[in-house]
Amino acid sequence: MKNLYFPSKIKVAAILLKNVFTVSKENDHIAPKGFEGEMLKYLVEKLKFEFELVLPNDGKYGSRDNNGTWNGVIGLVQRGEADIGLATLTITENRWEAVDFSISYGIIDRVFAVKEPGEMPKVIAFIYPFSQNVWVLYTLMILAATVLFQRMMLRRATLLGSFLSVLGSVVSQAIDNVRETPWRRVLLGLWMTIAAVMPFLYNTSFVSYLTMPQKVPVPRNFEELSKVVLSGKYKCLPNKGTIEQELLLRSGIDYLVKMGEMIQKNGWEYSFGGKSPELLENPVAIITSSLGLNLLLGSPPYITVKVSDDYFGIWNMAIAMKKGFCCRERFNEALYHIISVGLIEKWIDDLSFADTLHKRLKKNHEEPKLQLTLEDLKLSFFTLFFGYALALLAFLTELMSPKSFDIFHS
């Protein structure tokens, strides 16, 4: 026969966290808020019990100390100081040895977030169409063509003259004084094809980079994050009181383990609260979850963070219960009702919408900016006028020189 007994009063361990679990006083009673607070209110109403709130002194979710004892919410439940624990707790093998868990009511994916990257400066946009490797290869190709033309293609050409002829062909100038043989014409045709295609590809990309600027590169996945953390360019902060650092160290993936060791060595951590956006002003990545970002920062486009493309794990969320808890079956049944009708998703969406709306009302109207201004083109104009100045200087030098000289022919 099914046991309908449930204690009239239980102790609940929790961590106060914005939109997850907070409390307020209403008519001399504690009123829980947040999506886990709403879940607790439903359980109270369904199972007809009163609760006493117990908060961990260390503010931690629950991990094993060096001496083997458990801290945080898990520690309170494991020692019997609380009957159940709420704190978006994830189910792990080590925790299961210390406490029991209810059925899962959601999942937590471990991602990282960095500040939304700004636009790359348009002043140096003329180098954007090609990557660094392409620029290097293109330069080496021009130098190789210079030597080849000087030795095989051009009549009595100097090395400088050959270089100027090859460089001129890149900007649609003709090449004179070419030796006329069939195989040299094939070689010349091959080079002229390259000299025509490369500028065409460059020109078609250049304006698009000016009108739609690229974003400053930021790490996109955990492997890239590990590289910039190990090089000292970024800090990576796990949430205070969680087992994220332990999960990194035990992941068995080399770059995650090294990043976890760096975090452990420097003692990096953060408290995910109202000042999280300010925390990201520096080159900092915070390890969090997609759920946490929606609850604590709202939803796009009113948050200015970039979330990683991957995650280093997915874990089930559940309510911790002390070993031998009398009414685990009834508790799970009531929790299953909440899950099956989608109440948790509704509570989370409502809280996220309210936060997003609040941020929208506080956001100042911004006039649209022109995509392309004279300021963006100043380096291009400077380069153009500098080239004209050099050409004029060469022309005046040739006019005023007492003896004519020819840089193209030996």
Side-chain angles (χ1 to χ4, degrees), residues 158-326:
T158 63
L159 197 60
L160 178 59
S162 178
F163 173 74
L164 294 177
S165 296
V166 170
L167 195 61
S169 67
V170 173
V171 291
S172 304
Q173 298 295 317
I175 298 181
D176 298 325
N177 199 33
V178 179
R179 296 178 182 177
E180 293 288 339
T181 60
W183 69 270
R184 287 190 175 91
R185 290 175 185 172
V186 173
L187 187 61
L188 178 63
L190 178 62
W191 171 252
M192 295 305 293
T193 302
I194 296 173
V197 169
M198 293 298 288
F200 173 77
L201 296 176
Y202 178 88
N203 292 334
T204 53
S205 302
F206 179 63
V207 175
S208 66
Y209 277 92
L210 287 176
T211 54
M212 297 292 291
Q214 277 190 320
K215 298 287 188 178
V216 175
V218 294
R220 297 169 298 175
N221 52 54
F222 276 93
E223 187 172 5
E224 292 181 3
L225 177 63
S226 178
K227 290 178 181 178
V228 294
V229 168
L230 295 176
S231 66
K233 297 178 181 178
Y234 263 78
K235 291 182 179 179
C236 181
L237 312 181
N239 195 355
K240 181 180 179 180
T242 64
I243 58 172
E244 290 164 349
Q245 178 180 310
E246 179 184 343
L247 293 174
L248 288 171
L249 293 172
R250 295 173 53 197
S251 65
I253 301 174
D254 184 57
Y255 58 84
L256 291 181
V257 172
K258 289 181 179 179
M259 187 167 66
E261 292 172 348
M262 180 70 77
I263 293 171
Q264 186 178 53
K265 176 183 176 182
N266 292 280
W268 289 336
E269 61 181 14
Y270 75 100
S271 296
F272 208 170
K275 294 185 178 180
S276 296
E278 288 79 2
L279 179 69
L280 293 168
E281 290 299 322
N282 297 316
V284 170
I286 58 173
I287 297 179
T288 180
S289 65
S290 302
L291 171 64
L293 285 175
N294 288 337
L295 286 173
L296 299 170
L297 298 179
S299 55
Y302 306 111
I303 58 173
T304 55
V305 296
K306 174 73 174 175
V307 183
S308 62
D309 296 336
D310 65 349
Y311 41 82
F312 74 85
I314 296 179
W315 288 266
N316 288 296
M317 290 188 298
I319 297 174
M321 295 183 288
K322 68 180 181 181
K323 294 286 187 180
F325 183 60
C326 65

Side-chain angles (χ1 to χ4, degrees), residues 32-99:
K33 305 290 184 182
F35 88 90
E36 284 197 341
E38 294 294 332
M39 181 169 60
L40 180 59
K41 284 198 295 186
Y42 180 93
L43 293 171
V44 167
E45 182 180 352
K46 183 73 174 177
L47 299 173
K48 309 299 182 185
F49 67 89
E50 295 181 357
F51 69 91
E52 177 186 345
L53 187 62
V54 183
L55 302 178
N57 295 328
D58 52 19
K60 294 183 176 181
Y61 296 80
S63 58
R64 202 190 298 270
D65 292 330
N66 294 331
N67 58 9
T69 60
W70 285 89
N71 56 33
V73 172
I74 296 294
L76 292 175
V77 177
Q78 188 256 348
R79 293 190 298 271
E81 298 175 31
D83 298 297
I84 64 173
L86 296 170
T88 59
L89 296 172
T90 54
I91 302 174
T92 65
E93 185 178 356
N94 286 344
R95 285 177 173 177
W96 199 283
E97 294 174 358
V99 299

Side-chain angles (χ1 to χ4, degrees), residues 342-361:
L343 284 176
I344 291 179
E345 289 79 6
K346 179 185 181 301
W347 293 329
I348 292 173
D349 289 343
D350 288 347
L351 291 166
S352 179
F353 174 77
D355 256 19
T356 302
L357 182 61
H358 182 66
K359 288 179 173 63
R360 177 67 182 89
L361 294 174

